[in-house]
Amino acid sequence: MSLAGKVAVVTGGSRGIGREICLRLAQDGAKVVVNYVSNPTAAEETVRGIVAAGGEALISKFDVADAGLVQEAFASIVAQCGRIDILINNAGITRDGLLIKMKEESWDQVLDTNLKGAFNCIKAVSRIMMKQRWGRIVSIGSVIGSLGNAGQANYAAAKAGLIGLTRSVARELATRNVTVNGVSPGYIDTDMTSELAEDVKATILNEIPMGVMGEARDVAAAVRYLVSEEARYVTGQFLHVNGGMFMG
Ligand code: NDP
């Protein structure tokens, strides 16, 4: 199914997994709103890639953790594009550290961006999608939300929280043809994982039955399925894309 005529907002669409999701949705016909918070050059590069491939895109800068800014940004997107059909909650950060040493600030930053950010964006689009009687919301979780990970209590809690958020909102929006799902990647080669030490990478690869890290396009393909018309009867689910690392 083509996504022609659909408007998609991808938070953190400027780099990594988000960029690949933007390119994929635009390639299939959606007009894509590329969100970022700090790096305009990366966002512009994503838009250039979309336009070079014959697609349509615009940039929207906002911090997903700031409810007021999110509301303003979504109102401005609707004013410009007329509608929002697809929301991908992809923006995410890590502030790793063992629990006994973790600063309250690190906990708050990760929860505010990775969990409250999704809540803010879902809240901003829900009414719009309900009125349209069609919508697709996909949040990017993590295998860590299912497995937990030493040094990532904040990140694991936020990603596990996304599962409860998704299942609850899926129930609330189900009668309006708005599906709410997630994709939980395993280890994907992006800026977020590029800083891992070689020995840590080797340990991780050992835990992946397929023996290799995933690529951003593997996650984008799962997102593409969940936003399609063909996935209309799938809601409240998290699709694991992790090379067999966790089978939930
Ligand atoms: P990157 O670090 O490569 O990119 C993060 C993106 O999020 C950037 O576009 C960044 O924008 C944006 N962002 C960060 N904070 C905010 C904010 N407050 N408001 C708006 N945008 C923000 O991450 P990945 O591509 O690796 O990860 C994308 C998602 O996938 C995250 O949710 C991550 O948790 C999840 N994930 C990643 C895995 C991996 O192995 N890489 C594994 C499992 C899950 P800017 O450049 O402007 O800062």
Side-chain angles (χ1 to χ4, degrees):
M1 167 210 156
S2 157
L3 296 176
K6 305 272 190 237
V7 174
V9 179
V10 182
T11 69
S14 55
R15 292 189 281 122
I17 292 172
R19 173 182 285 176
E20 208 56 38
I21 294 170
C22 287
L23 291 167
R24 181 66 207 265
L25 299 184
Q27 177 194 317
D28 291 344
K31 181 190 272 193
V32 176
V33 181
V34 180
N35 158 254
Y36 76 101
V37 69
S38 65
N39 185 344
T41 313
E44 284 154 16
E45 208 174 298
T46 302
V47 169
R48 267 199 301 278
I50 290 172
V51 172
E56 237 188 304
L58 53 129
I59 293 176
S60 177
K61 178 189 178 183
F62 58 88
D63 179 349
V64 294
D66 186 323
L69 289 182
V70 169
Q71 283 294 341
E72 272 173 34
F74 280 79
S76 151
I77 292 165
V78 171
Q80 279 183 77
C81 304
R83 51 191 302 115
I84 299 175
D85 306 281
I86 297 167
L87 165 66
I88 313 298
N89 288 310
N90 164 82
I93 57 167
T94 50
R95 295 287 182 271
D96 297 351
L98 293 175
L99 182 97
I100 49 168
K101 290 186 181 163
M102 187 176 284
K103 295 202 172 84
E104 187 180 348
E105 191 190 350
S106 303
W107 173 271
D108 288 344
Q109 284 174 349
V110 169
L111 270 288
D112 282 354
T113 302
N114 298 11
L115 182 57
K116 190 178 158 203
F119 163 75
N120 287 339
C121 295
I122 292 174
K123 201 165 171 206
V125 297
S126 287
R127 216 180 285 273
I128 299 163
M129 290 181 176
M130 284 164 81
K131 274 198 201 144
Q132 290 169 182
R133 294 283 195 277
W134 201 94
R136 296 284 186 268
I137 298 172
V138 180
S139 297
I140 307 300
S142 168
V143 68
I144 301 304
S146 301
L147 290 174
N149 196 22
Q152 290 198 305
N154 49 0
Y155 186 78
K159 294 299 188 181
L162 277 180
I163 300 172
L165 172 66
T166 296
R167 289 182 178 157
S168 303
V169 183
R171 289 179 186 276
E172 292 183 23
L173 303 184
T175 58
R176 311 297 175 103
N177 271 331
V178 178
T179 67
V180 190
N181 291 291
V183 173
S184 280
Y187 281 87
I188 308 294
D189 194 7
T190 68
D191 292 346
M192 193 178 263
T193 46
S194 65
E195 284 159 20
L196 292 174
E198 284 310 313
D199 59 325
V200 176
K201 270 193 192 165
T203 310
I204 291 168
L205 288 180
N206 224 13
E207 289 167 11
I208 304 173
M210 285 189 175
V212 287
M213 284 177 91
E215 293 176 22
R217 67 187 166 103
D218 300 320
V219 181
V223 169
R224 176 66 184 91
Y225 166 66
L226 289 171
V227 304
S228 69
E229 186 54 36
E230 288 86 344
R232 70 190 181 94
Y233 204 53
V234 179
T235 198
Q237 304 298 318
F238 265 77
L239 184 48
H240 292 275
V241 179
N242 61 26
M245 195 179 173
F246 172 78
M247 301 181 187

